[in-house]
Amino acid sequence: MSRKASLSGFHEWLPGERIVEHHVLDTLRRTFELHGFSSIETRAVETLGQLLRKGEIDKEVYAVSRLQGEADPNDPNRLALHFDLTVPFARYVVENAGHLSFPFRRYQIQKVWRGERPQEGRAREFTQADIDVVGDGNLPFRYDVDVALVMAEALGALPIGDFTIRINNRKLAEGFYRGLGLEDTAGVLRNIDKLEKIGAAEVSRLLQSELGATEEQAAQALALASIRTEDTSFVEQVRALGVTHELLDEGLEELAAVVGELHRRAPGRAVADLSIARGLDYYTGTVYETVLTGHEQLGSICSGGRYDALAAKGNRTFPGVGLSIGVTRLMMRMFSQEMARASRSVPTAVYVALTHDDDWSAALDTAGALRSRGIPTEVAVSAEKFGKQIKYADKRGIPFVWFTRTDEDGTTVHEVKDIRSGEQSEADPQSWMPPEADLRPRVLEG
Amino acid sequence: MSRKASLSGFHEWLPGERIVEHHVLDTLRRTFELHGFSSIETRAVETLGQLLRKGEIDKEVYAVSRLQGEADPNDPNRLALHFDLTVPFARYVVENAGHLSFPFRRYQIQKVWRGERPQEGRAREFTQADIDVVGDGNLPFRYDVDVALVMAEALGALPIGDFTIRINNRKLAEGFYRGLGLEDTAGVLRNIDKLEKIGAAEVSRLLQSELGATEEQAAQALALASIRTEDTSFVEQVRALGVTHELLDEGLEELAAVVGELHRRAPGRAVADLSIARGLDYYTGTVYETVLTGHEQLGSICSGGRYDALAAKGNRTFPGVGLSIGVTRLMMRMFSQEMARASRSVPTAVYVALTHDDDWSAALDTAGALRSRGIPTEVAVSAEKFGKQIKYADKRGIPFVWFTRTDEDGTTVHEVKDIRSGEQSEADPQSWMPPEADLRPRVLEG
C-alpha cells in the first residue's frame, strides 16, 4: 500500500487497487453462485440489544445516533453498526423465515465496522464475504463438508498463493476431555486456544492450576492438540491415546467426513488440526480457520463453523454452518506484499483521439460502435497534439489509441495504434476487436 | 414490496428482489466501465467538519461514536456517516490528487445514510450510483455532454420503462435574470424552484415582494421557466423574450450542445427544461434531473450538474460534472409497482438428486463437471423420495433436476428433467448445457 489512511483504520483503495479488489469480489461471487448461494445484504445498523447478545465485544461497537437526537446510552434499541455479518444474518432469517426456503444458502459481501481504539492501528472498516447454509429445525451434517469445499474452491481461485484450511470439531475435543474426566470443556478449550501464544508448558500449568487437571490429563489434552494430518489418519492417532467417549466418536466421524472429502477433492488445501479451538465463538461442531502459506502471522483469513442454533424464534431453532473471509485483511496483505496488481488503472481499452475539434460527434459514433461489442472506450474532448493524446492513454495504461483521418479522395480512414508496440494498422470500428487479454484490465500476480 | 422494514427507513430485500437489484447494479457498472469510468469506494464515515461544509443538512446526519468513547458533540473531528457520495469523493480527490490522472472519470456505487425522523417514513439507508468527471484546474465543457449520454444509456438499459432527463443551465438562468436587471439570481432561482409546488401566480408574487422585481420582470422570469423543448429550439424561444447578457449567451450555447447531442443520440430521453433549478446545490453550469414516465410524483431518480470547484486544495481547484442515481428509490418503486421480478429466487440452474445416500460423492463429481462450464448447481444431501427432491427445486424455481441410476449391466445413466415441462432425457455431465435463458436467473419486466 502506497498511502496512509487519512482516518486511522479506514482504508481506501486507489483505482488500480480497486480493480484488484473488484476481481477478488467478482471471483467470490461467481464461485458462491455456481454453488447455488443467494446474495443478500442486511442493513448496516442493528439495535445494540441484537449486537450485544453475546455480551463479549461491547467496547468494539460503533454506536449511531441522529445528530440532533437525544440518545440514552443504555437503551437496547439504540442503533449501532454491525461488527460482523453473522448476527445480522441471524436476525434476517428470523424476520423473513416465512419468505425463505430452507435449507437456505446465502452469501453476503458487505462492510463491517469495529470501534477499535485508534492507537492500535487495526482496521475499523472492512469487507467480509460470508457463506452460510441455515436449516429450519435441523441441518444435515453434509453441509459442513459442502461449505468447506466451496471456500476451498473460492480461495483457490484468488491470486493469493497457497493456503491451508485447518479444521477441527468441538464434539471431538469435548468428547475427548469428558472421556479424560475433564468436565469444564470450555475452560480446556480456552486454554488450548492459547497454545500458539504461550506454548505447551504454560498451557499444561494453567490446565492444572485453573481447572484442576492432573499432569497426565493435561499431557493427554496437549497430545490431542498436537495432532495434525492432511488425511483421515488423525482418527487412528486419536484412538491411540486410549480415550473413549460417545461424543468423541461422533466428532471423529464428522471430522473424518470433512477432511476425507477435502483431501479427495482439494488435496493440500485442508488439514485436520486438533489444536484449533476458535475460543470465543459459540460453535457446536466443525470449526474452520485458514492461514495463507508464508503469511501465517497474519492470522486466519477465513474462519467459521457449525452452530446448533444460529438463530431462534420461539422454540423454533435454525442451525447453521458457514465461513467468513476477511477480504480487507487479505487485500492489505496482497498490496503490502505486492502479490497482485492490475494491468492498468482504468477499464478503458481504447482511447479515440481527435484530429480536429469538430470530429467529436463522429468520434462518439466510433466509440459507440466499439462499445456495442463490449470494448470499454473513451473519447478525447479536444484535438490536442497527438503526442499529448497518446500520453493521456499511456498514463492510464490504455493499450490502444484510435485515429481517424480523411484521405485526399474524401474517404475516412480509421487506424488503431497499440501504444506499447507502436504498431499501427487500419481498422473498422464495426468489426475490430482487441486481443481478449486487452479487453478488460487483468490482475497480474506476484 | 411484500414486507415492512423491521427498522423504519432501512429496507432489506428478499433473495429474489436482491437478484433484480444485482441486475440493476451490474448493468450500471457495465455501462460505466464501457465508458471508461473507474470504480472507487470511500469509507462510510467522514468527519462532521467535512460533511457540514455546506451547512445545510445537519439535522439529517447520523453521528458515529465508539460505545465507550466520550464524544464532544461539537467536535468537528467527530465521525458521521456520509449522506451522499459527492462530499466523500471531493475529499478523496484532494487526498489522492498525486496518485490520480486528470481528468479523472470515476463511478461509485455505495450506501449512504440520512438521519431522517422515523415518523416521516423516508429511507434512512439507501444505495446511490454516481458518475463524475473531475479535472485539475479546468475541465472541458464537453464532459457535460458526455456524462448525460452515459446516464441516458445506463438508465435506458434498466427495466424501468421510459424516463426524461430534464436539463437546464445555471449560466443561462443567471444571465437571463441579470439581463432583466434582477441581481439576486440565487433568490430568483430559489423561488423558481417552488414553481411545481406553489404555482406561477404565487412565485410571481414572491419575486415581487421578496426580491423587488417588477411585475414585468417576474413575468419574464416565469416565461423563461415555462420553456421546454426536446431539441435546441429553446434557443429561439429564449431569444424571443428579448433579454440579452453575455452569461445568457454562454448558457444557451452550453445547453444547446448538451440537448442537441442527446436529441441526436438518445432521442426522447432528454428535454431542455428551463424550470429546473436544483435550488440548494452549488452547481455553476449544467443541471440535470430525471423523472420516470408515469411516476413523476416519485421526484428525480437521477440528478446532478456541473461544479466549478467540486474540490479545492490550497489555490488548486478541481471542477467536476456528474450525475447520481437513487438506486434504492428506484428499486422500491420497481417492486411496489411490480415493474420487474426475477425468474427464480436462487442462482441455481440444476439440482442434482440422490438415488442412494452413498451416491453423494459421485453426485459432487457430476456437479463439479456442470459448474466447470459455468452452470450453477446444487447437490442433494440425502436420498429422500424423488418427489421431495423435485419439490426442493420447484420451491426455488430451479429449472432442472439431475438423476443418476445404475443400469442392470452396471453402467451409470444420467438423466436431466426440466421440471416445468416434465421432459426428461439422457445427458452427459461433461457436455450437457441448459438453454442460455435458463443458465442464470433472468429479470422479467412488467
Side-chain angles (χ1 to χ4, degrees), chain B residues 173-174 176-178 180-195 203 206-207 210-213 217-218 220-222 224-225 275 277 279:
Chain B
E174 288 183 30
F176 187 88
Y177 305 149
R178 290 231 164 89
L180 263 183
L182 293 171
E183 291 301 322
D184 181 2
T185 59
V188 183
L189 272 175
R190 201 171 48 242
N191 283 300
I192 291 292
D193 208 23
K194 299 174 189 161
L195 201 48
V203 169
L206 287 171
L207 288 174
E210 283 189 2
L211 302 174
Q217 284 172 323
Q220 286 276 67
L222 285 164
L224 184 78
S275 71

Side-chain angles (χ1 to χ4, degrees), chain B residues 353 355 386 390 399-405 413-427 432:
Chain B
T355 307
F386 281 158
I390 289 171
F400 297 99
V401 177
W402 193 280
F403 298 99
T404 306
R405 63 181 159 80
V413 178
H414 292 277
E415 291 192 311
V416 65
K417 182 190 192 86
D418 182 330
I419 64 170
R420 296 158 302 186
S421 65
E423 212 173 301
Q424 185 163 337
S425 53
E426 280 197 29
W432 178 84

Side-chain angles (χ1 to χ4, degrees), chain A residues 6 12-13 18 26 29 34 39 41 43 63 65-66 91-92 95 111 115 265 361 365 377 396, chain B residues 6 12-13 18 26 29 34 39 41 43 63 65-66 91-92 95 103 111 115 261 265 361 365 377:
Chain A
S6 62
E12 294 181 322
W13 307 129
R18 171 66 176 158
D26 289 346
R29 174 181 170 187
L34 274 175
S39 171
E41 286 195 342
R43 48 177 150 85
S65 53
R66 291 181 57 233
R91 177 196 46 79
Y92 179 96
E95 280 181 12
K111 295 206 172 113
R265 296 183 180 278
S361 195
D365 292 337
T377 305
R396 291 159 174 80
Chain B
S6 61
E12 294 182 321
W13 308 128
R18 171 66 176 158
D26 288 346
R29 174 180 169 188
L34 273 176
S39 170
E41 287 194 343
R43 48 177 151 86
S65 53
R66 291 181 57 233
R91 177 196 45 80
Y92 179 95
E95 280 181 12
K111 295 206 172 110
E261 202 66 43
R265 298 185 177 277
S361 194
D365 291 338
T377 305

Side-chain angles (χ1 to χ4, degrees), chain A residues 98-405:
Chain A
H99 300 277
L100 303 173
S101 299
F102 294 96
F104 175 47
R105 302 163 76 78
R106 87 86 173 77
Y107 75 91
Q108 190 168 349
I109 300 178
Q110 280 187 261
K111 295 206 172 113
V112 305
W113 295 270
R114 296 195 186 170
E116 306 274 359
R117 273 174 296 141
Q119 58 268 37
E120 285 171 355
R122 293 163 104 168
R124 300 202 251 172
E125 174 178 70
F126 46 97
T127 299
Q128 290 196 181
D130 284 26
I131 58 169
D132 284 278
V133 184
V134 62
D136 181 359
N138 84 318
L139 183 72
F141 168 75
R142 275 177 171 166
Y143 289 110
D144 292 43
V145 185
D146 178 37
V147 293
L149 286 168
V150 175
M151 275 303 190
E153 189 175 319
L155 293 170
L158 300 181
I160 56 171
D162 286 332
F163 58 88
T164 306
I165 306 178
R166 298 169 172 171
I167 311 172
N168 197 0
N169 190 297
R170 283 276 170 90
K171 293 177 192 169
L172 190 164
E174 287 182 31
F176 188 88
Y177 304 150
R178 290 232 164 88
L180 262 183
L182 294 171
E183 290 301 321
D184 180 2
T185 59
V188 182
L189 272 175
R190 201 171 48 242
N191 282 300
I192 291 292
D193 209 23
K194 300 175 189 160
L195 201 47
E196 255 180 84
K197 213 181 278 175
I198 63 175
E202 184 61 14
V203 170
S204 171
R205 201 188 61 74
L206 288 171
L207 289 174
Q208 294 175 58
S209 65
E210 283 189 2
L211 302 174
T214 64
E215 198 179 334
E216 168 64 13
Q217 285 172 324
Q220 285 277 66
L222 285 165
L224 184 78
S226 73
I227 294 173
R228 189 177 293 212
T229 70
E230 276 197 28
D231 55 18
T232 56
S233 59
F234 70 88
V235 179
E236 263 172 77
Q237 295 187 33
V238 175
R239 293 288 184 214
L241 296 176
V243 176
T244 56
H245 192 276
E246 204 181 8
L247 199 58
L248 171 61
D249 293 344
E250 206 179 308
L252 283 169
E253 195 185 324
E254 289 190 359
L255 186 57
V258 179
V259 171
E261 202 65 43
L262 274 154
H263 184 58
R264 193 170 308 135
R265 296 183 180 278
R269 295 303 200 192
V271 296
D273 183 333
L274 275 52
S275 71
I276 300 303
R278 309 249 16 109
L280 297 173
D281 294 308
Y282 288 23
Y283 298 118
T284 50
T286 312
V287 288
Y288 318 88
E289 62 179 48
T290 311
V291 288
L292 270 194
T293 308
H295 305 272
E296 288 78 3
Q297 75 292 5
L298 185 61
S300 177
I301 54 149
C302 177
S303 314
R306 152 78 69 152
Y307 293 93
D308 277 345
L310 178 80
K313 186 180 191 174
N315 54 10
R316 187 175 171 192
T317 61
F318 300 91
V321 62
L323 286 138
S324 172
I325 300 179
V327 176
T328 300
R329 178 182 286 201
L330 208 47
M331 301 309 304
M332 288 171 70
R333 178 56 59 121
M334 285 168 73
F335 295 138
S336 69
Q337 305 287 303
E338 300 182 345
M339 293 161 74
R341 63 185 174 82
S343 61
R344 58 185 188 249
S345 68
V346 293
T348 316
V350 179
Y351 186 66
V352 179
L354 287 189
T355 308
H356 306 288
D357 274 343
D358 292 347
D359 297 344
W360 192 58
S361 195
L364 292 183
D365 292 337
T366 300
L370 295 172
R371 289 186 196 117
S372 72
R373 291 193 304 286
I375 306 170
T377 305
E378 283 181 55
V379 179
V381 294
S382 59
E384 296 180 296
K385 285 183 184 151
F386 281 159
K388 223 175 156 184
Q389 297 189 61
I390 289 171
K391 201 177 152 202
Y392 178 102
D394 194 38
K395 264 178 89 169
R396 291 159 174 80
I398 300 171
F400 297 98
V401 177
W402 192 280
F403 297 100
T404 307
R405 62 184 159 81

